[in-house]
Amino acid sequence: MKPDPYASLRIPEFKFFLVVRFAVIFALSMQFAVIEWKVYELTSDPLSLGLIGLAEIIPSFSLALFAGNIVDKREKRGILLKCVVAYLFIGTALFLLTWDRAVAGMAKQQVIMLMYLMVFSGGIVRAFVAPATFTMLSLVVPREHLTNGITWSTSAWQIGGIIGPALGGLLIAWIGVHWTMLLVVGVMLAPLYSLLKIAPKPIYYKEVGESVAHRLTEGLRFVWKTKVVLNAMALDMFAVLFGGSVAILAIYAKDILHVGPEGYGLMRAAPAIGACLTMIILAYRPLVHKPGIKLLAAVFGFGIAMIVFGISTYFPLSLLALFMSGMLDGISVNIRQTILQMKTPDDMRGRVASVSSMFIGSSNELGAFESGLAAKLLGTVRSVVFGGCVTLGVVLTTYVISPAMRNLDLHPDKKD
């Protein structure tokens, strides 16, 4: 029977979950665009922008295992409610810190440090949001519709991540920094309302007298033992770490393709648009048959796309390569999320999701650092081509050493 592309959307609670998924990333990505603009306006120092990402990743990475353990032991909707309330307080504080009247008596450096403190606080909240959101999805969507639910959930996240910073940049010009930040606070009311429309969910965790150290590291041990999960995480991590080039797109726009800020905007949007298109297609044509081979092929294609982008001096070809990299990355994300959802026991979802967020989430920031360092050492074009080649090597190695990935079956009634 032909799969129903709207199966999960017929579940009322899942619709509210999608609002949460979209609104949180939409508000946070808009907030980050505003913070970056304001901090650079105050400092005129590029390093100050790098410190924003560092301020967020340090707490989210450090607390990930602890947060996953808490999520497994507590009711998930309640955790997400507390996280959204925390984001509301952080957003309100940032609104005041970006309002010239509110900080008139404060030194500029003090304002900047308080903004970093708010970003650091958001990193603490992020450590809990990732595993709680991952776990909630499997609690509002039955297993037989989980693949479809993952597709729509990832689409909501991708679209929010595209619109948020773009609208944030426009609103800074139209209504100013601090009023844009106030809008961020207003958007956060949508997930707060939506979570109140979702019923509290059961807790599958069972206390069996384990030590705290055992509980905190159980997610790591599960990932290490479950080779298909480990390989899926490693594939995605290395593709982002070495194959991504978002951090140096400005160099291509200015010095190689000579397309200016308008071209830079198109280059930033192209991968995300490709990923969104993939998610829409996958809602109608889910990747059930040989998903492991398709995951390997998608990451291999991603590496090829980045090599083409790296050597291209023709702007339309560069845009096409970035668009294709986004489409292929969308396939990779969808299959990886399905693997995690299908293979993770209910009582360990929070801890396994935290391990994923530690390595996959952190690889974005580390990938930006790697791109900049490689560009400095090898040159911009060589660094991108090198990253694409490393990605191809990782895929080929995984294909050879991982029969579990080659033979992967994600049919809903297969729990192995």
Side-chain angles (χ1 to χ4, degrees):
M1 188 174 71
K2 186 177 180 179
D4 180 2
Y6 307 107
S8 58
L9 295 178
R10 304 185 197 285
I11 303 168
E13 286 193 335
F14 181 66
K15 295 176 185 177
F16 289 112
F17 175 83
L18 284 186
V19 173
V20 175
R21 190 86 161 110
F22 170 83
V24 167
I25 189 61
F26 173 80
L28 292 179
S29 58
M30 184 191 297
Q31 179 176 280
F32 249 77
V34 176
I35 293 171
E36 288 171 350
W37 180 273
K38 186 64 177 179
V39 167
Y40 192 70
E41 184 179 67
L42 292 171
T43 65
S44 300
D45 181 5
L47 180 61
S48 64
L49 298 178
L51 293 176
I52 296 173
L54 190 64
E56 186 188 37
I57 197 61
I58 287 174
S60 63
F61 184 89
S62 303
L63 293 173
L65 295 179
F66 171 78
N69 181 53
I70 295 296
V71 167
D72 278 336
K73 295 172 68 174
R74 305 284 174 83
E75 198 276 311
K76 283 63 179 172
R77 189 202 68 156
I79 290 176
L80 281 174
L81 276 170
K82 292 181 178 69
C83 289
V84 171
V85 170
Y87 278 140
L88 283 168
F89 278 109
I90 292 169
T92 301
L94 287 167
F95 163 68
L96 295 173
L97 288 170
T98 54
W99 192 2
D100 292 338
R101 289 186 184 180
V103 298
M106 298 171 62
K108 182 169 67 174
Q109 194 61 32
Q110 187 179 8
V111 173
I112 295 169
M113 293 306 296
L114 286 172
M115 293 181 72
Y116 284 143
L117 178 61
M118 289 303 103
V119 173
F120 185 90
S121 302
I124 296 174
V125 180
R126 171 182 160 179
F128 291 87
V129 168
T133 304
F134 176 86
T135 308
M136 271 288 286
L137 175 59
S138 64
L139 295 174
V140 297
V141 178
R143 186 178 177 86
E144 62 269 21
H145 299 316
L146 198 52
T147 300
N148 181 255
I150 291 167
T151 299
W152 287 111
S153 175
T154 308
S155 299
W157 183 84
Q158 290 275 7
I159 293 170
I162 295 170
I163 299 175
L167 185 59
L170 292 173
L171 289 173
I172 289 171
W174 294 342
I175 63 176
V177 169
H178 63 285
W179 295 120
T180 305
M181 192 63 75
L182 183 62
L183 180 61
V184 170
V185 177
V187 172
M188 273 296 177
L189 295 174
L192 185 66
Y193 171 80
S194 297
L195 284 167
L196 292 173
K197 303 295 287 186
I198 298 175
K201 298 304 173 189
I203 302 170
Y204 291 102
Y205 179 84
K206 294 181 178 61
E207 188 70 59
V208 292
E210 306 153 318
S211 67
V212 173
H214 184 276
R215 290 198 304 270
L216 292 180
T217 57
E218 192 170 10
L220 283 169
R221 287 195 299 273
F222 172 81
V223 170
W224 181 256
K225 290 188 300 183
T226 312
K227 296 307 180 185
V228 69
V229 173
L230 176 65
N231 292 332
M233 285 189 185
L235 272 172
D236 196 82
M237 182 180 72
F238 282 112
V240 172
L241 185 59
F242 292 104
S245 60
V246 171
I248 57 175
L249 287 183
I251 302 175
Y252 270 86
K254 183 180 178 182
D255 300 330
I256 296 175
L257 298 171
H258 307 289
V259 292
E262 295 82 3
Y264 173 66
L266 289 173
M267 290 163 68
R268 287 297 302 262
I273 294 172
C276 286
L277 180 60
T278 290
M279 296 304 168
I280 294 171
I281 293 172
L282 292 182
Y284 290 85
R285 299 183 65 86
L287 299 173
V288 177
H289 183 62
K290 295 187 176 179
I293 294 296
K294 291 175 180 175
L295 174 59
L296 291 167
V299 180
F300 191 88
F302 176 86
I304 294 291
M306 296 318 302
I307 292 172
V308 171
F309 170 76
I311 61 178
S312 170
T313 57
Y314 180 53
F315 183 56
L317 177 60
S318 299
L319 277 184
L320 177 62
L322 289 171
F323 175 80
M324 292 303 300
S325 76
M327 289 196 72
L328 293 162
D329 187 52
I331 295 173
S332 170
V333 170
N334 181 272
I335 297 176
R336 179 172 57 81
Q337 287 294 314
T338 304
I339 290 171
L340 287 174
Q341 289 285 1
M342 293 293 193
K343 301 298 181 182
T344 304
D346 289 330
D347 63 338
M348 291 180 59
R349 289 186 182 278
R351 284 166 288 178
V352 172
S354 290
V355 174
S356 177
S357 69
M358 283 175 65
F359 294 100
I360 305 302
S362 302
S363 62
N364 289 292
E365 286 77 10
L366 292 175
F369 175 75
E370 182 275 335
S371 294
L373 181 62
K376 185 175 180 63
L377 296 176
L378 303 175
T380 303
V381 172
R382 288 191 185 94
S383 70
V384 175
V385 173
F386 170 76
C389 291
V390 171
T391 301
L392 300 184
V394 171
V395 173
L396 293 173
T397 301
T398 304
Y399 179 84
V400 171
I401 70 173
S402 179
M405 181 65 72
R406 297 197 301 269
N407 301 320
L408 178 64
D409 187 350
L410 291 177
H411 196 275
D413 58 7
K414 297 262 186 172
K415 298 184 181 183
D416 52 88

